[in-house]
Amino acid sequence: MPQQAHGGNLAWAAALAGCSPDAIVDFSASISPLGPPDSVIAAIVSQLDNLRNYPDPEYSELRLALSQFHQLPPEWILPGNGSAELLTLVGRDLAKLAGTILLTPAFGDYYRTLASYGAKVLEFPVNLSPEIDENSSLFPQFRLESSVSGLLLNNPHNPTGRLFSRESVLPYLDKFALVVVDEAFMDFLPPQQEQSLIELVQEYENLVILRSLTKFYSLPGLRLGYAIAHPHRLATWKSWRDPWPVNTLAAAAAIAALQDTEFQTLTWKWLPQARNQLFQGLTSIPGLRPLQGAVNYVLVESTSSTSELQKTLLQQHQILIRDCLSFKELGDRFFRVAVRTESDNQRLLNALKTIKN
């Protein structure tokens, strides 16, 4: 069974480790270990009888919940079958432009959607040095006619975990024909720390924000995301896609999740301490150099092969890490790990010490 570019491939990992998928401790997918929230499970159960009916094609209740959450009119919000579906619609718009800039290493689905529509890609590298200045220029060697080009970036950045300040991105809203900001991990930042551009969408017709509800609330199996953009753009996207992209259970789960302030507060309290535990532990292991980040995963540079390390961790410890072979700029000398519970983090650190010493 071939390994896939995404993390979370437990079937592949279990086959390599010679165990059941349930026995794998998965550090490869950057999903919160705290959920799904009880409120979400209850909402899903409450909708089981409604599976005999089609979902509301306009998703009125879901869009209203999202509009209240973000203080935006509902017509500025479009739910989707995960942010991946919405990213595919983004690619169709970006392909109309002279070119699209990506910050590299870049999420593999960006290349997928841009290639699907024949878009021209221009790559600019992110600084991978230990000293990260989130306010520095995104493109220090920028030489492009940006007024007819697009910009596709994620903030916080995947796989580095780097958080770009709102001020560092703002100048590009006036320079590019279309700016798409994938904020799939932004909700891991508490409101006073996040650098979202959502509040600017109504000022910039060329700005699109993508959000995911699956990572923060531990719901990747439900596939739910949403786009925030000008209603005219969203209306065009609706005309391109299949009807009923969001199922009834996912819509109910999303509404419950958005209202669960207790779970949100718990996550914001848990993450800094758990991330620091993992980061400091990785720093203490010879041959590993973790990069500082702002969210629920850590990119780690290794002096030895990380694909071999991944294999050893699976076969000897039933632990799955995310290799970075799909990121051509990183290759076999980097791996990424999610921040999990304190006990899981310590299990990973103990296993790495055993292998590295």
Side-chain angles (χ1 to χ4, degrees):
M1 181 182 298
Q3 164 69 307
Q4 296 182 0
H6 293 282
N9 189 346
L10 296 183
W12 171 86
L16 186 59
C19 65
S20 70
D22 291 343
I24 301 293
V25 181
D26 186 13
F27 281 86
S28 71
S30 300
I31 305 299
S32 168
L34 304 184
D38 291 341
S39 62
V40 169
I41 300 301
I44 291 173
V45 171
S46 73
Q47 292 298 311
L48 292 179
D49 286 343
N50 284 332
L51 292 181
R52 62 174 59 91
N53 303 317
Y54 285 102
D56 169 12
E58 297 300 321
Y59 299 101
S60 302
E61 290 186 21
L62 174 55
R63 289 168 61 229
L64 178 60
L66 287 165
S67 73
Q68 292 172 343
F69 188 78
H70 290 296
Q71 297 298 297
L72 285 170
E75 58 268 24
W76 288 75
I77 300 169
L78 182 67
N81 185 241
S83 56
E85 184 216 2
L86 300 165
L87 184 59
T88 299
L89 302 174
V90 163
R92 188 167 173 175
D93 264 355
L94 288 170
K96 302 173 185 176
L97 304 175
T100 297
I101 282 185
L102 293 182
L103 295 189
T104 60
F107 181 39
D109 267 14
Y110 297 164
Y111 292 100
R112 172 194 62 80
T113 186
L114 293 170
S116 295
Y117 296 103
K120 181 179 180 181
V121 177
L122 302 105
E123 300 172 316
F124 286 78
V126 171
N127 182 8
L128 294 177
S129 68
E131 299 300 324
I132 295 176
D133 178 10
E134 69 274 12
N135 289 300
S136 62
S137 173
L138 296 185
F139 312 113
Q141 299 178 339
F142 181 67
R143 296 287 187 278
L144 185 70
E145 184 57 48
S146 56
S147 62
V148 292
S149 301
L151 169 62
L152 172 56
L153 62 92
N154 50 0
N155 191 26
H157 182 258
N158 180 17
T160 67
R162 176 178 179 178
L163 177 67
F164 297 116
S165 71
R166 186 181 293 105
E167 288 71 26
S168 71
V169 181
L170 278 176
Y172 300 100
L173 298 180
D174 292 320
K175 294 181 178 180
F176 285 89
L178 179 59
V179 176
V180 180
V181 185
D182 180 356
E183 296 185 351
F185 292 94
M186 189 67 78
D187 43 7
F188 282 97
L189 279 299
Q192 66 272 20
Q193 296 178 22
E194 73 167 21
Q195 301 297 311
S196 176
L197 295 184
I198 288 177
E199 64 184 32
L200 298 175
V201 169
Q202 291 180 285
E203 297 179 35
Y204 292 89
E205 190 171 341
N206 63 329
L207 175 60
V208 173
I209 305 294
L210 299 181
R211 282 284 185 122
S212 170
L213 287 171
T214 60
K215 298 169 176 62
F216 186 88
Y217 297 101
S218 315
L219 296 167
L222 276 185
R223 312 305 310 130
L224 185 65
Y226 55 99
I228 300 177
H230 194 282
H232 291 164
R233 186 182 304 277
L234 298 184
T236 299
W237 287 7
K238 286 177 64 178
S239 71
W240 291 344
R241 67 179 186 173
D242 296 335
W244 306 297
V246 179
N247 68 71
T248 296
L249 302 184
I255 293 170
L258 293 167
Q259 296 171 350
D260 197 332
T261 57
E262 182 178 350
F263 181 83
Q264 294 157 13
T265 301
L266 174 66
T267 302
W268 295 328
K269 183 179 179 180
W270 154 77
L271 181 56
Q273 182 175 336
R275 183 176 59 231
N276 185 63
Q277 173 212 5
L278 183 59
F279 183 88
Q280 295 301 328
L282 291 166
T283 300
S284 69
I285 299 174
L288 299 182
R289 181 178 71 91
L291 277 66
Q292 285 282 4
V295 282
N296 66 322
Y297 52 86
V298 180
L299 182 66
V300 186
E301 185 176 13
S302 173
T303 56
S304 59
S305 167
T306 55
S307 56
E308 286 300 315
L309 177 61
Q310 181 191 59
K311 180 179 178 181
T312 302
L313 282 169
L314 275 171
Q315 294 179 333
Q316 296 183 9
H317 302 276
Q318 291 76 55
I319 292 174
L320 175 59
I321 62 173
R322 170 74 152 84
D323 70 45
C324 290
L325 296 178
S326 64
F327 300 100
K328 61 181 183 294
E329 298 83 5
L330 302 181
D332 200 30
R333 289 295 182 266
F334 285 84
F335 65 92
R336 194 192 67 195
V337 287
V339 179
R340 292 182 57 89
T341 63
E342 182 179 348
S343 59
D344 283 349
N345 291 344
Q346 195 57 53
R347 177 174 170 177
L348 171 65
L349 294 172
N350 291 341
L352 287 171
K353 290 176 183 176
T354 299
I355 296 169
K356 288 291 188 178
N357 291 333

